[in-house]
Amino acid sequence: MTIIHAPATPAAEVSAALPTEAPEHERVLITRGPRSGLTIIVAVHSTRLGQALGGARLWRYGHWTDALADALRLSQAMTMKNAAAGLARGGGKSVIAIPPGVSLDERSTRDAMLDLGDAVESLGGAYMTAEDVGTSAELMAVVHERTEHVCGLPADQGGVGEPADATAAGVYASIRATLRHVFGSDDPAGRHFVVVGLGQVGGRLARSLAKAGARFTVTDVAAAKRALADELGATWVEPGEAHLVEADVFVPCGLGGVLTHEVVDALRVRAVVGAANNQLASRDVAGHLTERRIVWAPDFVVNAGGVIYLDVAGTPGADQAALDARIAGIGDTVASVLRSAEEHGTTTLAAAERIARERLDAAR
């Protein structure tokens, strides 16, 4: 593992969120953007299956080591996601940390994207970036001014655009597969869903569920999203109350870490399926969900539609029908994971990781 460390922060100031064991990452780049002054972290977890692919997150952190912990965790998840999805891609992630009290205007955001482009370029093609939380296809176009190793550019610039539609489609297919496993029917009509987070993916998913005749309760940290709840006839609750709602399926579509032991204790649902990355606050929560007989569809399988779209749609001669079938096939993978966990008496996390690691091991 190569670590390039630029920020002048005392070694003793290490966030508790950092892993205590040595990272298994191939490379971790930590640099201070010369234009923006922001800490930029690029974590390349694995290139065993090919060039690492994972989005760029622009987010506010209490300390830069929190951003480092996020990058390490997210990049490892991308390795598992890309492997489980059958892509010839490794896993990586980039994070731009906005310090407390700092606000970015249009110019400083552009500077941050240019700095990110330089950081990605310095890795010599080991990692390709794309949009993620806090970034967009338009911002990826700015990154593209400094590196070719970026995907998901706007369609009017020759790119394939943002992958939110594909991500939402994969989550919807996963929900149907989970419904069939738990209830014997994959029809969402009449089922009650609690959707937490109405952003690019969560909003699309809520519309799909409404069209299918589902009942649902929704929430978001942005109060303005309540307008979508009203439009769809959904019940609105405050974010801290969503996990207390009695329903069929809990659907986390915001930031990660939502499934703590305390939240799982309070859940009154039969299943959890959502778009959020890193939903488990810790690995042992997977066992807690199993103990409570709550079926959890592992996030890195469920939300792979976006990365499949970015990887496949950008290839010459990409066929839309084949791409749609590939994304719909995420439901089949989820079904296989749930069956395997049940047959072997393991958690669904262990079952999903087994699929990913088998492919990684085969590439040695």
Side-chain angles (χ1 to χ4, degrees):
M1 180 182 71
T2 302
I3 297 182
I4 307 170
H5 183 191
T9 303
E13 295 183 19
V14 178
S15 167
L18 285 172
T20 55
E21 69 278 3
E24 57 183 27
H25 295 64
E26 293 178 8
R27 300 187 70 181
V28 180
L29 167 67
I30 308 174
T31 186
R32 183 176 185 274
R35 303 173 186 83
S36 66
L38 299 177
T39 299
I40 297 172
I41 301 167
V42 183
V44 178
H45 179 258
S46 173
T47 57
R48 187 179 300 172
L49 293 175
Q51 181 187 41
L53 172 62
R57 177 165 293 192
L58 178 63
W59 197 247
R60 193 174 305 281
Y61 295 90
H63 194 275
W64 73 267
T65 54
D66 297 330
L68 173 58
D70 213 14
L72 293 175
R73 185 169 55 248
L74 290 166
S75 58
Q76 184 177 36
M78 286 304 304
T79 295
M80 305 305 288
K81 177 186 297 189
N82 293 340
L87 300 178
R89 293 283 190 175
K93 205 77 173 182
S94 48
V95 173
I96 304 172
I98 308 174
V102 173
S103 296
L104 302 185
D105 57 17
E106 185 175 344
R107 175 59 184 272
S108 56
T109 300
R110 174 178 169 79
D111 286 345
M113 293 301 106
L114 293 172
D115 289 340
L116 172 62
D118 287 339
V120 171
E121 181 66 19
S122 74
L123 294 176
Y127 166 71
M128 175 173 283
T129 194
E131 64 92 19
D132 191 32
V133 176
T135 60
S136 64
E138 288 70 27
L139 291 178
M140 289 304 103
V142 179
V143 176
H144 191 230
E145 294 179 25
R146 305 298 300 176
T147 184
E148 292 294 320
H149 304 296
V150 56
C151 59
L153 301 176
D156 61 5
Q157 297 187 34
V160 298
E162 295 184 1
D165 282 333
T167 303
V171 178
Y172 187 70
S174 299
I175 286 175
R176 295 187 68 120
T178 305
L179 289 176
R180 180 175 293 279
H181 181 86
V182 175
F183 299 106
S185 169
D186 66 356
D187 188 357
R191 295 290 176 191
H192 186 182
F193 297 84
V194 180
V195 181
V196 180
L198 295 173
Q200 291 271 34
V201 176
R204 286 169 167 80
L205 189 59
R207 291 183 186 281
S208 296
L209 290 170
K211 186 176 180 180
R215 297 185 299 118
F216 51 101
T217 299
V218 300
T219 190
D220 195 284
V221 293
K225 297 293 185 180
R226 190 161 188 163
L228 178 58
D230 294 339
E231 175 191 335
L232 299 179
T235 300
W236 176 273
V237 295
E238 293 304 311
E241 300 172 359
H243 66 290
L244 303 175
V245 176
E246 185 173 1
D248 293 309
V249 184
F250 186 70
V251 187
C253 292
L255 293 178
V258 65
L259 295 177
T260 64
H261 284 285
E262 294 75 19
V263 165
V264 170
D265 275 334
L267 282 175
R268 295 190 291 167
V269 296
R270 294 284 304 280
V272 177
V273 192
N277 286 309
N278 292 347
Q279 293 168 18
L280 304 180
S282 58
R283 288 184 59 85
D284 58 353
V285 173
H288 194 177
L289 284 159
T290 301
E291 291 167 1
R292 289 218 56 218
R293 299 183 181 276
I294 297 173
V295 174
W296 176 63
D299 44 37
F300 62 86
V301 178
V302 169
N303 61 20
V307 73
I308 291 173
Y309 174 78
L310 290 173
D311 186 56
V312 176
T315 60
D319 179 73
Q320 186 62 48
L323 176 58
D324 291 343
R326 183 83 176 269
I327 293 170
I330 292 173
D332 297 331
T333 304
V334 168
S336 177
V337 167
L338 301 186
R339 283 195 307 269
S340 176
E342 192 171 75
E343 292 168 0
H344 293 89
T346 68
T347 66
T348 54
L349 174 61
E353 287 182 336
R354 188 182 307 117
I355 291 174
R357 292 197 183 281
E358 284 175 355
R359 187 153 192 269
L360 288 166
D361 290 343
R364 285 181 176 174

